[in-house]
């Protein structure tokens, strides 16, 4: 376990070395935050209480989205690198090391997410808070629940993208599936519009898919919409998806390893 | 176990199924026998060269040794372990360097990658420090430890990779093209280091390379593999005898002469007063020179040894008909 803790720390540090890139990213997040916030304001003026949010909650949702965009890696992250390693055969060098491939990349990605939460999350949120009347959690308990929801969101995001990356063992070209996964993440996480806005079957489906754990669930926890039993079921929903997807990743990983070891890729 | 064989190949085969385009939609399956019945043993502490042309089956063999590939037939044993069955248990005891691939962490200083190696292989602290010091000294890494790997030159990175493989004190070290792309000085440094590690720790080394100087300087034993078969296994000197190689006597006469006619040599080239004469590598040069000097106005001469590349090239070309 100490190995993976060390990997996690390096995953964090790896991103911390690129300070200019981080600042540029914060700037981009902030600009997008403004653009989307004004769009939402226009929308909520016409349709107040759309999706059950008041205007303040809707604008807060926008800035939460900007703050979590990188943390739960809605645009993707490590999978491009892993796919490259699979395609070039470098993944072979990962297989003869006495470390578990999935845990290794998970530790790396949690380290990365930790950095992005601080580096790309806090500043845009603060900038949003300066110019818009944002909702802030009332109690430390809500903050704690929110951070837990974010952590579970990070694990689910990793597990989904790990499956996407492993597909490269069979597809060889991962571009298509990465793009598809990224589109799904942006739409079904609630990044475009809160999932509560979608009516009927689409809304039910969107809220049941794992991507909702990447933004919608943590945002609702933050906004204090989920408390008590609803909070427990929201976190439970995330935990179940995390376990299911990590487990699926393990199965696919052993199939992929067998494929490489027995057939030679 | 009576023998000290650390690596053992017993009639090992590896067959790949390859699909080939045979029409607009039709695909034909056919078999590629990358390794076709290879047997050998490497005793503990030996340094062996494993060479052959591209596509001969070298990398496939190394992959079977590390457990990344499972043999289609036959048995591979390394340190008493079946690699493909217990890959992770074996992983703690072997070091692998693929010259064209790095295991170092690209964005972080070299030191961080080593720190991860320490945890991954659970190297005891004192051991780790001693090994790191030795690697730093012999591979000249002192100024590089705090440099991010992406900023290292190829030679520096390669030295970094070799150190990473040796930090956990592996019993067996597989090197795949460890000097590829390195300049003369870096190559010499790497070779000195490997020689030292082998002598001091008795590390068994299997070296795959295209640079035959690596082999000539490091290995007493060479295995030549071609088309998935072992075509030679023995000393470096024996390669010449087996490969029918010839040495060349370059002679200068005091004037232009027609091609010389002396038993045991044949003139292959004439350029003014200079002639190139081939003779079997196994024959002694002295009596030939005496015979030449007796019949011709000899001014100067030199003997050229056959290049090992040529010997192996000839050996592999010859085995193609098999």
């Amino acid at each position: 376990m100490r190995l993976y803790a060390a990997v996690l720390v390096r995953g964090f540090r790896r991103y911390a070395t690129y300070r200019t890139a981080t600042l540029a990213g914060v700037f981009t997040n902030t600009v997008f935050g403004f653009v989307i916030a004004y769009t939402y304001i226009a929308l909520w003026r016409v349709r107040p209480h759309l999706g059950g949010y008041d205007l303040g909650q809707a604008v807060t949702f926008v800035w939460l989205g900007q703050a979590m965009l990188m943390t739960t890696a809605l645009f993707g992250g490590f999978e491009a690198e892993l796919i490259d390693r699979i395609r070039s055969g470098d993944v072979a060098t990962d297989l003869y090391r006495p470390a578990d491939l999935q845990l290794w990349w998970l530790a790396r990605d949690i380290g990365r997410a930790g950095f992005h939460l601080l580096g790309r999350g806090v500043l845009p949120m603060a900038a949003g808070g300066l110019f818009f009347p944002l909702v802030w959690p009332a109690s430390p308990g809500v903050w704690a629940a929110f951070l837990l929801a974010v952590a579970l969101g990070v694990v689910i995001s990793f597990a989904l993208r790990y499956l996407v990356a492993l597909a490269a063992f069979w597809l060889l070209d991962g571009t298509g599936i990465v793009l598809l996964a990224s589109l799904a993440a942006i739409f079904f996480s609630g990044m475009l519009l809160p999932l509560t806005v979608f009516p009927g079957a689409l809304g039910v489906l969107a809220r049941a898919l794992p991507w909702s754990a990447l933004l919608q669930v943590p945002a609702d926890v933050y906004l204090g919409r989920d408390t008590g039993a609803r909070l427990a079921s929201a976190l439970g929903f995330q935990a179940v998806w995390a376990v299911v997807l990590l487990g699926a990743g393990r199965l696919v990983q052993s199939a992929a390893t067998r494929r490489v070891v027995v057939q030679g890729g | 176990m009576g023998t000290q064989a650390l690596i053992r190949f017993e009639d090992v085969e590896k067959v790949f199924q390859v699909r080939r385009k045979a029409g607009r939609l039709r695909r034909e399956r056919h078999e590629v026998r990358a390794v076709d019945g290879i047997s050998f043993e490497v005793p503990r502490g030996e340094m062996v060269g494993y060479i052959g042309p591209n596509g001969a089956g070298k990398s496939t063999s190394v992959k079977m040794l590390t457990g990344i590939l499972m043999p289609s037939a036959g048995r591979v044993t390394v340190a008493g372990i079946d690699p493909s069955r217990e890959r992770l248990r074996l992983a703690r005891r072997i070091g692998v360097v693929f010259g064209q691939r790095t295991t170092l962490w690209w964005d972080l200083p070299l030191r961080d990658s080593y720190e991860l190696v320490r945890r991954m292989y659970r190297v005891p602290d004192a051991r780790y420090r001693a090994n790191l010091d030795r690697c730093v000294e012999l591979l000249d890494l002192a100024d590089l430890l705090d440099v991010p790997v992406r900023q290292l030159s190829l030679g520096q990175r390669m030295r970094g990779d070799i150190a990473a493989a040796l930090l956990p004190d592996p019993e067996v070290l597989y090197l795949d093209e460890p000097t590829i792309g390195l300049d003369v000085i870096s190559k010499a440094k790497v070779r000195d280091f490997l020689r030292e590690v082998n002598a001091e720790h008795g590390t068994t080394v299997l070296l795959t390379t295209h640079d035959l100087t690596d082999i000539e300087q490091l290995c007493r034993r060479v295995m030549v593999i071609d088309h998935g078969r072992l075509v030679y296994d023995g000393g470096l000197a024996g390669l010449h005898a087996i490969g029918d190689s010839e040495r060349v006597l370059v002679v200068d006469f005091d004037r232009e002469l027609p091609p010389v006619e002396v038993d045991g040599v044949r003139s292959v080239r004439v350029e003014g007063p200079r002639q190139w004469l081939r003779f079997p590598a196994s024959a002694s040069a002295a009596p030939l020179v005496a015979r030449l000097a007796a019949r011709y106005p000899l001014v100067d001469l030199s003997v050229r040894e056959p290049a090992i590349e040529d010997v192996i090239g000839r050996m592999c070309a010859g085995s193609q008909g098999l």
Side-chain angles (χ1 to χ4, degrees):
Chain A
M1 239 29 234
R2 292 181 54 200
L3 166 65
Y4 300 106
V7 172
L8 191 152
V9 170
R10 266 85 192 170
F12 183 98
R13 234 189 262 161
R14 173 173 193 236
Y15 284 88
T17 48
Y18 300 110
R19 283 180 209 152
T20 326
T22 303
L23 282 179
V26 165
F27 179 72
T28 313
N29 282 138
T30 308
V31 170
F32 271 94
F34 270 93
V35 171
I36 302 171
Y38 282 120
T39 313
Y40 273 38
I41 287 170
L43 194 57
W44 258 259
R45 288 244 166 92
V46 180
R47 300 282 303 274
H49 299 288
L50 186 61
Y53 295 117
D54 63 28
L55 186 60
Q57 287 176 321
V59 172
T60 306
F61 191 96
V62 170
W63 288 98
L64 278 172
Q66 289 306 314
M68 291 187 55
L69 183 68
M70 293 303 289
T71 309
T72 50
L74 297 179
F75 288 141
F78 78 92
E79 62 270 33
E81 197 181 332
L82 181 51
I83 287 171
D84 260 359
R85 292 185 74 80
I86 293 169
R87 227 169 35 159
S88 65
D90 282 4
V91 75
T93 62
D94 300 331
L95 289 178
Y96 65 67
R97 299 197 290 182
D100 182 79
L101 198 63
Q102 190 189 32
L103 279 177
W104 177 277
W105 287 93
L106 174 61
R108 260 182 78 149
D109 203 49
I110 291 176
R112 174 205 60 75
F115 175 76
H116 279 153
L117 185 64
L118 295 176
R120 298 281 298 269
V122 173
L123 284 178
M125 195 73 190
L130 278 180
F131 296 95
F132 296 87
L134 298 187
V135 177
W136 301 98
S139 70
V142 175
W143 275 113
F146 169 65
L147 287 179
L148 183 58
V150 171
L152 286 166
V154 166
V155 173
I156 291 170
S157 164
F158 163 81
L160 282 166
R161 288 175 293 126
Y162 190 67
L163 283 168
V164 166
L166 290 188
F169 274 105
W170 289 270
L171 299 176
L172 290 180
D173 185 8
T175 338
I177 190 162
V178 167
L179 189 66
L180 206 65
S182 170
L183 283 175
I186 288 166
F187 184 79
F188 288 112
S189 64
M191 188 68 206
L192 281 183
L193 271 178
L195 299 180
T196 50
V197 171
F198 297 120
L202 177 63
V204 172
L205 176 72
R207 286 190 292 275
L209 290 174
W211 289 286
S212 68
L214 309 190
L215 175 59
Q216 185 69 47
V217 173
D220 280 341
V221 171
Y222 177 97
L223 293 171
R225 285 160 58 94
D226 290 336
T227 50
R230 282 191 57 183
L231 176 62
S233 93
L235 295 175
F237 166 81
Q238 285 187 304
V240 168
W241 268 124
V243 169
V244 167
L245 291 169
L246 285 177
R250 290 216 77 83
L251 286 180
V252 176
Q253 173 182 325
S254 66
T257 312
R258 228 179 3 256
R259 183 184 157 86
V260 171
V261 171
V262 178
Q263 299 173 9
Chain B
M1 292 231 290
T3 55
Q4 275 290 300
L6 196 62
I7 304 173
R8 181 178 286 141
F9 258 54
E10 291 165 83
D11 303 312
V12 174
E13 292 179 15
K14 182 69 202 181
V15 182
F16 293 111
Q17 300 284 337
V18 180
R19 260 181 275 184
R20 204 168 37 186
K21 212 171 170 173
R24 194 164 290 174
L25 288 168
R26 227 156 49 82
R27 297 284 185 278
E28 246 170 26
R29 273 173 175 277
H30 76 127
E31 288 191 344
V32 174
R33 306 184 76 80
V35 170
D36 194 5
I38 289 186
S39 299
F40 63 79
E41 283 188 359
V42 177
R44 190 178 286 276
E46 200 167 57
M47 253 181 148
V48 184
Y50 198 60
I51 57 182
N54 285 331
K58 290 171 302 197
S59 297
T60 305
S61 321
V62 170
K63 282 182 182 161
M64 286 193 279
L65 287 170
T66 55
I68 300 172
L69 276 182
M70 200 166 83
S72 315
R75 228 171 69 182
V76 178
T77 325
V78 177
I81 294 174
D82 176 344
S84 60
R85 206 153 291 164
E86 293 187 81
R87 197 178 63 238
L88 291 186
R89 190 156 87 90
L90 181 67
R92 296 190 185 284
R93 302 172 63 173
I94 62 176
V96 183
V97 177
F98 283 112
Q100 306 185 58
R101 297 180 178 163
T102 182
T103 57
L104 304 171
W105 203 319
W106 199 244
D107 304 276
L108 292 176
L110 205 46
R111 194 188 288 283
D112 284 86
S113 290
Y114 293 161
E115 198 54 37
L116 291 177
V117 167
R118 178 171 79 84
R119 309 247 169 157
M120 203 182 326
Y121 291 87
R122 304 199 189 112
V123 189
D125 276 356
R127 206 42 182 295
Y128 172 75
R129 245 170 286 130
N131 286 351
L132 184 60
D133 286 349
R134 187 180 49 142
C135 288
V136 164
E137 187 198 322
L138 292 173
L139 289 171
D140 237 344
L141 296 174
D143 298 331
L144 307 178
L145 281 178
D146 295 306
V147 179
V149 172
R150 71 189 135 83
Q151 291 173 14
L152 298 180
S153 73
L154 181 64
Q156 293 169 333
R157 204 217 74 211
M158 183 72 75
R159 270 144 54 201
D161 257 311
I162 292 174
L166 283 163
L167 285 175
D169 271 337
E171 289 169 58
V172 186
L173 182 63
Y174 304 123
L175 297 161
D176 190 33
E177 303 282 358
T179 58
I180 196 164
L182 302 195
D183 61 37
V184 181
I185 297 168
S186 295
K187 276 184 184 179
K189 245 179 226 165
V190 166
R191 286 178 194 140
D192 287 346
F193 179 71
L194 293 175
R195 207 177 291 126
E196 171 118 7
V197 165
N198 172 256
E200 238 179 69
H201 288 246
T203 311
T204 309
V205 180
L206 192 73
L207 178 65
T208 297
T209 182
H210 279 108
D211 185 337
L212 294 158
T213 322
D214 287 345
I215 304 277
E216 282 175 326
Q217 297 200 353
L218 293 172
C219 308
R220 236 169 298 154
R221 176 177 169 198
V222 189
M223 292 190 272
V224 182
I225 171 173
D226 186 43
H227 288 80
R229 287 167 190 266
L230 198 58
V231 294
Y232 177 79
D233 182 356
L236 202 54
L239 256 187
H240 295 297
I242 287 254
D244 271 341
S245 59
E246 289 177 315
R247 290 193 279 177
V248 176
L249 197 60
V250 184
V251 291
D252 289 323
F253 301 120
D254 66 359
R255 60 180 186 277
E256 281 186 42
L257 288 171
V260 300
E261 282 170 31
V262 170
D263 280 349
V265 301
R266 58 200 167 85
S267 176
V268 288
R269 194 168 149 204
V270 181
E271 234 173 61
R274 175 171 285 189
Q275 296 198 12
W276 281 260
L277 313 172
R278 284 185 179 276
F279 66 101
S282 50
S284 166
L288 287 177
V289 173
R291 256 176 282 158
L292 276 170
R295 288 178 52 187
Y296 295 95
L298 200 56
V299 177
D300 197 6
L301 65 86
S302 65
V303 179
R304 295 206 185 142
E305 295 296 326
I308 189 154
E309 284 94 335
D310 296 342
V311 176
I312 290 161
R314 204 169 310 129
M315 185 181 274
C316 293
S319 76
Q320 242 152 13
L322 289 177

